[in-house]
Amino acid sequence: MAAIFDRTGGSARKTALSIAFLAATALCLPSPFAVAQTAPVASARADQSPSKARGPFVAAANPLAAEAGMQILRDGGSAVDAAVAIQSVLSLVEPQSSGLGGGAFMMVYDAQTSQITAYDGRETAPAAASPELFYEDGKPLAFIDAVLSGRSTGVPGVVAMLGMAHKDHGTLQWNRLFAEAERLASDGFAVSPRLAGFINAGRNQSISEWATRYFTKPDGTRYQAGDILKNPEYAHTLRRLAAEGPSVFYQGELPEQMIAATRADPRPGVLTMSDFASYRPLRRDPLCRPYRVYLVCVPAPPSSGVAMLQFLGMAEQTPDLAKGKDSPEAWVALGRLQRLMYADRDRYVGDADFVGVPISGLLDKDYVASRAALAPHVNGPVEAGRPTGSAPALSDATHEPTGTTHFVVVDAAGNAVSMTTTVESYFGSGRMAGGFFLNNQLTDFSFTPNEDGHPAPNAVAAGKRPRSSMIPTIILDREGNLVGAIGSPGGSSILAYVAKTLVGVVEWDMTMQDAIALPNLVVRGQMVGADTDQISPAIRDALKAAGMELRPNATETSGLHGAMWRDGRWDGGADPRREGVALTQ
């Protein structure tokens, strides 16, 4: 059964939507409920035939975290159990990217029901927040000043979200899921080269007073790759979390410590204990739309998943994409479709509980076709379209810097998790409590709260969740069976990274690993970035002629992790740009 999200409280009521109905109506959306709630339905119980996709499979951005998740699967745990273990380790060994002080979106596929649930653990703005949260003396703060301020932290949502998902899908007891993270925090772990690079960056969050205390050895030098780093304060937090449950993050001593960190200079924040006590993760049904022989499912807003579905709808109507990975015409088409995708995303996507997001209009088959028809004529930045149900297009001043990770888990029963999790910028706000970094997620709101007297869709508001580019994705066949999962970090470039990889896998018939390793191309308005030195001169020249002169990618690099079920096994991949691994047993 598919759940219709109740926007007032995040509870769900059930309604049946057959897979045949979904495939037939996914792009025309005659039902108002088919806009943001379209989870497929198949048989009542999972098919136990060997051809059905099942694990164990784990792909994550750090080998220690991947192995912690795999051990939970070996012990009989579910995909969600493994996700809890993976996140608790990543918070320790990859703190520049995610942590318990941040937020996440998680897609969970239930093999018995073929139902997908999207869990929204996005941070929320405090009750005292206003659209001018990042204004000073009547002007917007410089972006880095906002990041480093106490104002940038929203109520962390990842722990509450994992607790909700574990209650729904957990197999092992909650208190068994943190043992490896606690051991690594107590005994120490070897600092990876990538973490060492961020520790020694010498700027911004890496030199905050909190980071300096944590990352400085007794001899006064900073930790380097291979050094053993211990975090007894984090081990204590994990012991409490294991014993007492997620509530320790939202009442009592720990949230008081987080609030104290945000109230410190410079520019103290306005979080309160009431903000923590009132935080609720949300269950939402995903947005699912056909793409070739598959059904692609992503989170609904405030995730930008609707933009990815729009891209795939346009891709199906762009013959040049089928010319292959060595074709200049295919890469030009990829860039042009990205420009169209981002133009609409940047104008219309925000927290749909606060602003009207024209999801139905953006995915309407005629609108998608009209945008795809523009692609051959796109030789520079484009204006947003006017889908049915949209308000006048407004300017957007949202920045999305580094600091995110993605992982995929499939358990022995065929249940799957695709989860993107973040502290927003690297080491979040640079402030710490309980042995972990606090997010700077509120800087994901637009710094331009109004345009011509109208509020921007992604403007700050009390209790609001900022727009996110995170799009953890689950892929089904047309019968509702699991066949794949993918996602990436990368700030606003996430959409381009996942789009490139899906084109590689589906249009160009590549393995997941090879598609992930393809050069990245990001075309968003005036910004054209790429793994330039990996792109052939012929493709570079074609892109330049089409108004996409390549420059080195200035946004966060990709950290793609994904898998497709092919010939009775997982074709998995981990991004060579980071330190991740893909594990099977």
Side-chain angles (χ1 to χ4, degrees), residues 524-576:
R524 180 188 180 201
Q526 294 280 7
M527 194 275 283
V528 181
D531 295 331
T532 306
D533 58 352
Q534 299 177 35
I535 295 179
S536 73
I539 293 174
R540 288 202 301 268
D541 290 345
L543 288 166
K544 182 178 179 179
M548 294 176 279
E549 184 170 4
L550 296 187
R551 294 180 290 275
N553 194 358
T555 65
E556 181 183 4
T557 188
S558 61
L560 288 148
H561 292 97
M564 292 292 287
W565 183 255
R566 289 171 164 169
D567 301 321
R569 65 178 186 85
W570 283 109
D571 166 27
D575 203 317

Side-chain angles (χ1 to χ4, degrees), residues 21-77:
F21 175 81
L22 178 61
T25 64
L27 291 179
C28 55
L29 299 170
S31 164
F33 291 120
V35 174
Q37 299 83 22
T38 52
V41 176
S43 58
R45 298 189 59 81
D47 185 339
Q48 296 301 308
S49 67
S51 63
K52 292 288 184 177
R54 52 181 35 84
F57 175 85
V58 176
N62 182 282
L64 294 172
E67 179 55 36
M70 183 60 76
Q71 187 57 56
I72 291 293
L73 297 182
R74 293 188 192 108
D75 292 344

Side-chain angles (χ1 to χ4, degrees), residues 121-492:
R122 189 70 161 160
E123 299 90 333
T124 55
S130 72
E132 290 76 31
L133 180 67
F134 296 117
Y135 268 52
E136 202 166 83
D137 299 324
K139 297 179 180 179
L141 286 169
F143 183 70
I144 191 58
D145 290 338
V147 168
L148 296 174
S149 75
R151 307 177 195 176
S152 67
T153 299
V155 180
V158 68
V159 171
M161 183 200 77
L162 288 171
M164 173 184 278
H166 178 263
K167 184 176 180 180
D168 293 345
H169 302 282
T171 300
L172 301 180
Q173 292 295 311
W174 174 265
N175 61 12
R176 293 182 57 183
L177 307 179
F178 304 92
E180 182 61 8
E182 182 190 341
R183 184 189 70 78
L184 290 168
S186 298
D187 297 347
F189 67 97
V191 173
S192 74
R194 192 164 189 274
L195 174 55
F198 282 100
I199 289 173
N200 293 283
R203 65 184 188 277
N204 302 333
Q205 296 95 311
S206 68
I207 57 173
S208 72
E209 62 177 277
W210 295 268
T212 297
R213 282 197 300 267
Y214 180 39
F215 292 133
T216 301
K217 294 184 286 188
D219 65 4
T221 63
R222 291 210 157 205
Y223 283 89
Q224 303 296 323
D227 288 342
I228 301 301
L229 176 59
K230 297 181 180 181
N231 191 337
E233 189 175 3
Y234 186 61
H236 174 70
T237 294
L238 291 176
R239 284 192 290 272
R240 288 197 60 203
L241 180 59
E244 303 173 46
S247 64
V248 301
F249 261 71
Y250 301 95
Q251 53 189 279
E253 177 185 4
L254 189 54
E256 289 174 352
Q257 293 173 0
M258 289 188 262
I259 290 168
T262 66
R263 293 296 179 93
D265 288 328
R267 300 180 177 90
V270 293
L271 277 170
T272 67
M273 289 295 288
S274 177
D275 293 320
F276 278 82
S278 61
Y279 182 83
R280 296 293 183 273
L282 300 175
R283 296 181 189 88
R284 304 183 191 264
D285 278 350
L287 294 169
C288 296
R289 294 295 183 272
Y291 173 46
R292 302 300 186 192
V293 299
Y294 301 112
L295 198 69
V296 177
C297 297
V298 294
S303 160
S304 295
V306 61
M308 175 55 54
L309 296 181
Q310 183 189 22
F311 173 92
L312 297 177
M314 292 188 294
E316 282 196 315
Q317 302 179 54
T318 305
D320 278 352
L321 277 182
K323 294 180 179 179
K325 66 181 180 65
D326 299 317
S327 164
E329 292 87 354
W331 283 90
V332 167
L334 179 65
R336 285 169 164 166
L337 292 181
Q338 286 183 20
R339 265 197 168 127
L340 291 162
M341 169 185 69
Y342 278 116
D344 282 359
R345 192 291 295 258
D346 291 351
R347 287 296 183 265
Y348 297 121
V349 176
D351 186 342
D353 295 338
F354 284 75
V355 298
V357 181
I359 297 172
S360 177
L362 288 168
L363 298 180
D364 176 80
K365 65 177 182 178
D366 293 332
Y367 179 74
V368 171
S370 72
R371 295 297 274 175
L374 292 176
H377 312 290
V378 171
N379 293 306
V382 295
E383 294 293 327
R386 290 300 303 272
T388 301
S390 64
L394 305 174
S395 67
D396 181 77
T398 299
H399 306 269
E400 295 181 69
T402 63
T404 305
T405 195
H406 181 83
F407 59 85
V408 171
V409 186
V410 185
D411 64 29
N415 306 302
V417 163
S418 184
M419 176 169 161
T420 312
T421 172
T422 188
V423 287
E424 178 50 14
S425 192
Y426 71 95
F427 302 131
S429 66
R431 301 173 185 231
M432 296 183 75
F436 54 87
F437 283 93
L438 300 179
N439 70 83
N440 66 293
Q441 205 65 256
L442 300 190
T443 59
D444 246 6
F445 283 114
S446 174
F447 277 33
T448 301
N450 291 282
E451 176 72 16
D452 298 328
H454 298 283
N458 194 37
V460 182
K464 190 176 180 181
R465 297 165 193 243
R467 184 184 73 202
S468 174
S469 291
M470 297 189 290
I471 49 169
T473 301
I474 284 180
I475 305 166
L476 310 176
D477 65 20
R478 293 301 183 94
E479 284 70 50
N481 301 308
L482 175 71
V483 294
I486 192 173
S488 180
S492 62

